[in-house]
Amino acid sequence: MKVNFFGAAGTVTGSMHLVDAAGKRILLDCGMIQGSDAEEARNTEAFPFDVNAIDAVVVSHAHIDHTGRLPLLAARGYQGPIYAQEATCDLIPVMLMDSASLQESDAARQSRKRVAGTPEVVPLYTRDDVQKMLPQLRPLPYHQRTTLFPDIEVDLRDAGHILGSSIIELFADGRTLVFSGDLGPKGTPILRDPETPPAADLVLMESTYGNRNHKDRAETVRELGGILDDAWKNQGNVLIPAFAVGRTQELLYWFARFWDEWNLSRWKIFIDSPMAAKVIQIYDRHHELFDDDALEVWKGTPNPFRLPNLHTTDSIQDSMAINQIRSGAIIIAGNGMASGGRIVHHLRHNIGRREAHIVFVGYQADGTLGRRLVNGAKTVRMFGEEYQVNAQCHTIGGLSAHTDQNGLLEWYGGIAGHPSVALVHGEDDAREALATELHERFGVTAELARPGAVREV
Ligand code: ZN
């Protein structure tokens, strides 16, 4: 078995690895590169392998940085199966249709602005491309070892990161490859804790937070309550950039849990994301994947997904109407790194207001507007204009959907025999710090996978 590293090797987006085994080529993830314009332009490049030589694709979870180039793969000739956990197969159409719409509108906007005589900008892929690809999806339940080809089997375990997120175990040539996908922290609301595979010959492990540990979750949740309280006193709005899958549902869970304590009935709560509204319905269809604690919360009142003051917006007009509100609104909108989406419009209206609060609840990749705000930028550019940052920015580290250094070490430590490990899905300082810890605790030398590198298993 041979693993070729292509994406999310030294970065946290564009997850993609190619496995050669038993005479077949299996692609693990086919994610979109996200970040600066220059980095995102790389999505249009040719795939670094022969698309027609791929025999199967297995996807760890529905996030765009793990699935975003699937329609492109199909449009460029891949016609084989795309395996993923059942809930992931429900989420993928929603995620990819949204991604395609964004690209269509971006391309149309760039085309309008182009220099006369230059060719029209074409989207990376369209909604039509997504529709054509969807029949290739093959849903798999967790814990059902499935034969993909003679001598190649796959099994999925719960990664506790978002609904349907999976750790992929690939068995071929008498070897076992474990791909962690993205690992959630223990105790993530709604979801079960990540499972540990019993054994492996090579582990591809994510390392997003390989160099730090999250704050205690209970403390983090208290902090969120405190920010909401301050914002109410300041008579401002609260903006929470959040991806539609995972964080948005978790926030609603916490709001239901602390409904009385945080006096949430006084706020207007907006989920300004048609996609998040669809994803909420998908979560609601998969209570079989909820942990015991979530099932208890869902028995009580209010129901996290049906809070009495929860407004979901569909049209652009509904979204723009929120901009008239100067105080008392909690606005949850995507995308989670403020590199695009409706949240940027809300930021434009609120960022200059001292009474407004912006709460970052997830990872902010290098090059994004979110990262600049988290780093304390005094001014930021949006829609070609410079804006003064007067709003108060908060980073709530402990709500991350990714486990931290301790969590990664504990997860790896549970795999028998401390197998070889290659670190993916992390910026270099995070990977280096994690590699040092892995060496000190387990005596294993972790490889920092480079794009284009090949590893024999
Ligand atoms: Zn993810």
Side-chain angles (χ1 to χ4, degrees):
M1 190 191 286
K2 224 166 57 178
V3 184
N4 306 264
F5 302 106
F6 290 122
T11 61
V12 297
T13 69
S15 177
M16 194 163 71
H17 310 290
L18 180 62
V19 181
D20 286 294
K24 299 287 182 190
R25 308 201 92 187
I26 317 284
L27 193 66
L28 302 178
D29 284 352
C30 190
M32 182 95 87
I33 300 163
Q34 295 170 312
S36 66
D37 288 351
E39 281 170 290
E40 293 193 1
R42 289 178 40 220
N43 288 308
T44 60
E45 291 171 6
F47 284 100
F49 46 78
D50 178 4
V51 170
N52 294 302
I54 302 290
D55 298 289
V57 179
V58 187
V59 169
S60 64
H61 64 288
H63 274 150
I64 285 295
D65 60 322
H66 295 256
T67 59
R69 277 186 284 172
L70 284 171
L72 197 61
L73 190 77
R76 290 183 181 170
Y78 176 67
Q79 294 181 342
I82 299 167
Y83 296 94
Q85 206 279 339
E86 293 156 330
T88 301
C89 287
D90 287 348
L91 289 168
I92 280 176
V94 178
M95 306 291 285
L96 292 182
M97 287 304 267
D98 178 77
S99 168
S101 318
L102 278 176
Q103 289 163 61
E104 286 175 36
S105 53
D106 277 357
R109 193 173 50 243
Q110 287 170 34
S111 287
R112 282 195 300 275
K113 284 194 201 155
R114 75 190 191 276
V115 179
T118 54
E120 201 172 321
V121 179
V122 291
L124 189 61
Y125 51 83
T126 63
R127 282 169 289 179
D128 198 37
D129 291 324
V130 175
Q131 288 293 1
K132 284 185 192 145
M133 183 223 87
L134 295 179
Q136 290 168 256
L137 289 174
R138 301 281 181 276
L140 294 177
Y142 288 130
H143 313 128
Q144 183 179 292
R145 198 154 155 161
T146 303
T147 303
L148 304 186
F149 301 102
D151 196 30
I152 305 183
E153 293 177 327
V154 72
D155 203 353
L156 305 178
R157 288 174 192 267
D158 199 333
H161 169 65
I162 59 168
L163 193 77
S165 62
S166 305
I167 296 155
I168 300 171
E169 287 175 280
L170 198 66
F171 309 93
D173 297 336
R175 314 291 280 167
T176 303
L177 174 72
V178 167
F179 173 39
S180 72
D182 287 354
L183 292 171
K186 277 189 171 172
T188 296
I190 308 175
L191 305 176
R192 298 195 181 115
D193 290 345
E195 298 178 80
T196 311
D201 295 293
L202 176 67
V203 179
L204 304 190
M205 182 159 85
E206 73 123 317
S207 51
T208 313
Y209 285 111
N211 57 347
R212 53 178 143 139
N213 285 312
H214 299 321
K215 274 185 271 184
D216 174 67
R217 189 187 303 272
E219 191 186 308
T220 299
V221 172
R222 271 198 301 279
E223 201 182 328
L224 178 61
I227 293 167
L228 294 179
D229 221 37
D230 287 347
W232 185 263
K233 287 182 197 131
N234 296 155
Q235 298 187 307
N237 292 329
V238 176
L239 273 59
I240 311 182
F243 285 109
V245 186
R247 201 59 39 77
T248 298
Q249 293 75 29
E250 283 170 35
L251 286 166
L252 294 175
Y253 166 95
W254 290 118
F255 290 171
R257 280 278 301 266
F258 292 96
W259 182 253
D260 293 326
E261 206 173 310
W262 294 353
N263 202 354
L264 279 156
S265 57
R266 61 189 173 178
W267 292 91
K268 279 192 162 77
I269 302 172
F270 292 94
I271 302 285
D272 186 21
S273 162
M275 175 162 67
K278 285 182 200 149
V279 170
I280 286 169
Q281 288 174 11
I282 295 171
Y283 266 68
D284 232 0
R285 288 211 300 269
H286 284 284
H287 286 218
E288 83 282 3
L289 301 179
F290 286 15
D291 67 3
D292 292 343
D293 170 62
L295 293 174
E296 278 305 308
V297 171
W298 255 263
K299 278 185 206 151
T301 49
N303 178 309
F305 294 162
R306 293 177 185 80
L307 301 175
N309 53 352
L310 180 66
H311 307 268
T312 51
T313 53
D314 195 14
S315 69
I316 297 287
Q317 286 73 19
D318 289 347
S319 174
M320 283 164 67
I322 303 172
N323 294 330
Q324 306 302 319
I325 305 174
R326 287 197 68 102
S327 81
I330 297 173
I331 306 162
I332 302 170
N335 68 32
M337 298 193 274
S339 58
R342 291 185 178 182
I343 193 68
V344 191
H345 293 272
H346 298 303
L347 284 169
R348 179 160 69 126
H349 283 87
N350 285 278
I351 206 158
R353 297 173 177 165
R354 284 181 201 288
E355 68 275 21
H357 291 250
I358 304 166
V359 187
F360 291 95
V361 290
Y363 188 82
Q364 305 299 311
D366 223 0
T368 60
L369 176 59
R371 174 69 80 97
R372 288 198 289 282
L373 288 168
V374 162
N375 285 349
K378 297 280 180 280
T379 61
V380 287
R381 259 188 114 66
M382 288 181 279
F383 306 105
E385 278 178 55
E386 204 76 12
Y387 290 84
Q388 188 84 27
V389 181
N390 295 326
Q392 299 178 52
C393 296
H394 311 266
T395 307
I396 305 246
L399 289 188
S400 174
H402 289 268
T403 194
D404 57 11
Q405 188 186 65
N406 284 338
L408 289 165
L409 291 167
E410 193 188 328
W411 181 79
Y412 171 81
I415 305 173
H418 305 149
S420 300
V421 58
L423 300 180
V424 295
H425 207 281
E427 288 170 9
D428 276 346
D429 42 357
R431 299 200 300 175
E432 280 156 19
L434 185 61
T436 304
E437 287 297 319
L438 282 165
H439 192 260
E440 274 175 21
R441 291 209 202 173
F442 305 109
V444 65
T445 303
E447 176 180 351
L448 308 186
R450 296 274 158 220
V454 181
R455 172 76 182 247
E456 287 281 350
V457 187

